[in-house]
Amino acid sequence: EKHRAGEAIVRVEDEEAVYEFSHFLAASPALAWELLTSPQHKQKWMEMRAVNHEPVEGRMVTGTRFHCIHEMAEFRYHITDWRPFRYYSTSFADPMHPGHRHAETYEVEPVDGGVRLNYRMGPLLDENGVRQEGAEAELVGVYKDFYSHALALLDAMIAEM
């Protein structure tokens, strides 16, 4: 695959994922991408009180930073790999364990009748790059509950469109 100037591929692959799910979305690839990447849409289906991003104007690109405010916590991440209509990856700061981060990839795969959303979370690492399995297991538990609810809201949004 060709690399864009100065941009490396930063993608969590199946074999390195510590948590992953696939979910069918009854939406076109373009609509699915919009719902997954637009801060305004994500705020709705992820039930955020607010979402801020830098830069504020223009399209999302590698390096765009987000601050998402949920009821339970505030999350910060930045885009590390942006391949429009295919996938994007982020470096995500764990608010429950300061100094710990993980990579994550959201991938949109066209299938009959819609798309398959494939999500993969990489290992949770501390500031020295050491895997933190206990904290990782706790975060995976949070993600399982969160995405179960959030994806139902996303499906409902799509059904109303």
Side-chain angles (χ1 to χ4, degrees):
E1 178 172 339
K2 278 187 156 177
H3 294 257
R4 289 178 285 187
E7 291 187 22
I9 294 174
V10 182
R11 181 175 167 163
V12 179
E13 300 294 345
D14 291 340
E15 60 273 4
E16 63 187 315
V18 297
Y19 171 61
E20 60 188 318
F21 65 78
S22 290
H23 183 79
F24 175 78
L25 298 173
S28 69
L31 177 58
W33 186 259
E34 176 70 17
L35 293 171
L36 293 170
T37 62
S38 161
Q40 295 80 12
H41 290 306
K42 284 184 78 169
Q43 185 173 355
K44 290 177 187 172
W45 67 269
M46 288 189 158
E47 295 189 312
M48 293 182 236
R49 290 189 302 193
V51 59
N52 305 305
H53 58 90
E54 297 175 7
V56 175
E57 299 298 323
R59 65 186 187 90
M60 302 298 154
V61 295
T62 298
T64 299
R65 296 188 173 281
F66 289 85
H67 176 204
C68 300
I69 303 168
H70 293 261
E71 192 66 37
M72 66 176 267
E74 295 184 25
F75 298 91
R76 296 178 188 274
Y77 66 93
H78 66 276
I79 296 173
T80 56
D81 193 356
W82 181 257
R83 310 295 165 156
F85 305 102
R86 292 175 42 219
Y87 72 89
Y88 71 96
S89 297
T90 74
S91 176
F92 194 94
D94 178 357
M96 297 179 292
H97 304 96
H100 297 178
R101 301 188 77 81
H102 69 82
E104 62 181 0
T105 297
Y106 292 83
E107 184 174 20
V108 175
E109 176 188 352
V111 295
D112 287 341
V115 300
R116 177 138 320 270
L117 166 61
N118 298 306
Y119 172 86
R120 292 180 298 278
M121 171 190 167
L124 185 65
L125 306 175
D126 67 16
E127 57 275 350
N128 297 313
V130 176
R131 186 172 177 189
Q132 300 297 311
E133 292 184 47
E136 179 182 279
E138 183 181 342
L139 188 58
V140 166
V142 169
Y143 281 12
K144 285 180 179 179
D145 290 342
F146 173 77
Y147 280 110
S148 174
H149 178 72
L151 291 171
L153 294 176
L154 181 56
D155 288 337
M157 280 179 64
I158 291 168
E160 291 174 5
M161 297 182 141

